Amino acid sequence: MTKKGSKDENVEAAERYLESVFSESEQTTLTSFISKIQSRAGEGKYQIAVISDTHGSGAYSWRSINEVNRHQASCFRSIAVFNKIMQYCNAGIHGGDLSCDYGTSRQRCLQYMSNIVRMFKAAYGQANPLTKPFFITKGNHDENNNGYIEVFDQANLDWENNTYYVRNFSTFTQVTESTWDGSPLYISKTELVSDREFRNVVQHWMSPSGAIWGNGAYYFYDIDSVKIRVIVANSFPVNDSHVVSEGEEYLWLAQTALNLSAKTNPLDWFVIVLRHTQATSITSFANCINAFKNGTTWTYNETTIDFNSINGGGIPIVHIHGHEHQWCFSNGAGFLDIGENASFVASKNIGDASHYGISVWSIDTANGKVYEDTIDGHTWCYNYL
């Protein structure tokens, strides 16, 4: 049995893997990056390691790290790098799409997600509760959902009784018989991963102690020492009947998660909202975030929320997402919306921006700045006040 506080066999195996798989130049890249983020650490700076879209197949035992097939476990090199970086940070974020085994068995998808989450957990070398918060949002692949809106073969599908779910409804991609690649065109709705099932995986392995959960796969967590609230939202709500649903979360977001009236000085706080897709992908969501930032009103259906009355004014807020598989930045919705790159290809150098989307946010709450350093050498500074 591993002694409390000591490294377990999985951490040691991960470190051996890291040392044996990466070239000397890659080790130099990682060492240089860690030195860079350490130089940013200091009073007033809270550092969060960020990774997204690992798309792991999960088709391997999480215990057999040294026996991983590199083609099946293409995300593991990224996880190994991230876990090393995480040792020097205060918290971690995953922007969704832990896995990519979609359209088949819901149970297999859940098992693969559990395997991958446990690989991240190995970085801590200890049992729950975690000493560092780690936030994971639900991606479309984690829902077991990625497909087409229009298909050429709709025979015998019971659309009226919602037996089947046409996947990836938002992409509006047409598939004809001549362009079909042979992949499944539709899945039974019962194979969608529900919010409760996703939440069970995250809560069991990685959810920070003290998180305040809503009814679905969303929650918030306060880091009181630096006055930062992290809200984990959900782009892909699926209820217990495995039916796509939305609406309830928006009111929870406005009435509960974005309500800081219990704080001594609400306007001194900074809020990070984590969600898999861009904030502007849902207008109601983006409008709510904007109203919170400006201390104005937001109306959903027949409910109006007055953020000025609740919080005493506008509060700085940043939205972070994955999904796009590229570094991107926008303030077109009236607030910072920052996209993180994907991180899942095993055969590339860790300094390749196309494949190792790992970054560290150094949050300077005293001056209202976020410094984002990426492992491929980019540095951006965002002013959020």
Side-chain angles (χ1 to χ4, degrees), residues 236-249:
F236 302 95
V238 177
N239 65 23
D240 290 345
S241 298
H242 302 280
V243 174
V244 176
S245 59
E246 59 184 25
E248 180 181 0
E249 179 185 355

Side-chain angles (χ1 to χ4, degrees), residues 287-300:
N287 289 344
C288 180
I289 299 298
N290 195 36
F292 171 83
K293 174 180 178 290
N294 294 309
T296 56
T297 60
W298 172 77
T299 299
Y300 184 77

Side-chain angles (χ1 to χ4, degrees), residues 56-109:
S57 71
Y60 47 85
S61 167
W62 69 283
R63 296 180 183 276
S64 304
I65 292 176
N66 289 331
E67 301 172 5
V68 169
N69 180 307
R70 295 185 193 178
H71 295 287
Q72 288 181 318
S74 61
C75 73
F76 186 67
R77 281 163 60 96
S78 296
I79 294 176
V81 172
F82 180 86
N83 285 354
K84 192 73 173 179
I85 294 169
M86 185 67 186
Q87 296 176 25
Y88 302 90
C89 295
N90 303 105
I93 278 177
H94 193 297
D97 279 357
L98 288 160
S99 67
C100 68
D101 282 275
Y102 48 80
T104 53
S105 165
R106 184 178 89 256
Q107 291 302 321
R108 189 178 76 166
C109 184

Side-chain angles (χ1 to χ4, degrees), residues 221-239:
Y221 179 82
D222 288 341
I223 307 166
D224 293 299
S225 60
V226 286
K227 297 183 179 179
I228 294 174
R229 173 169 290 184
V230 178
I231 301 172
V232 178
N234 179 18
S235 301
F236 302 95
V238 177
N239 65 23

Side-chain angles (χ1 to χ4, degrees), residues 29-30 32-33 36 40 327 349-354 356-360 372-380:
T29 298
L30 179 58
S32 175
F33 181 67
K36 185 175 184 177
R40 291 204 186 278
W327 307 115
N349 187 289
I350 62 175
D352 186 338
S354 300
Y356 280 89
I358 300 173
S359 68
V360 171
E372 181 173 21
D373 296 299
T374 70
I375 198 167
D376 59 292
H378 294 294
T379 296
W380 294 286

Side-chain angles (χ1 to χ4, degrees), residues 54 169 174 204 244 251 258 296 308-309 345 368:
T54 44
F169 190 82
Q174 281 191 318
H204 182 72
V244 176
L251 291 177
L258 294 177
T296 56
N308 184 62
S309 297
V345 177

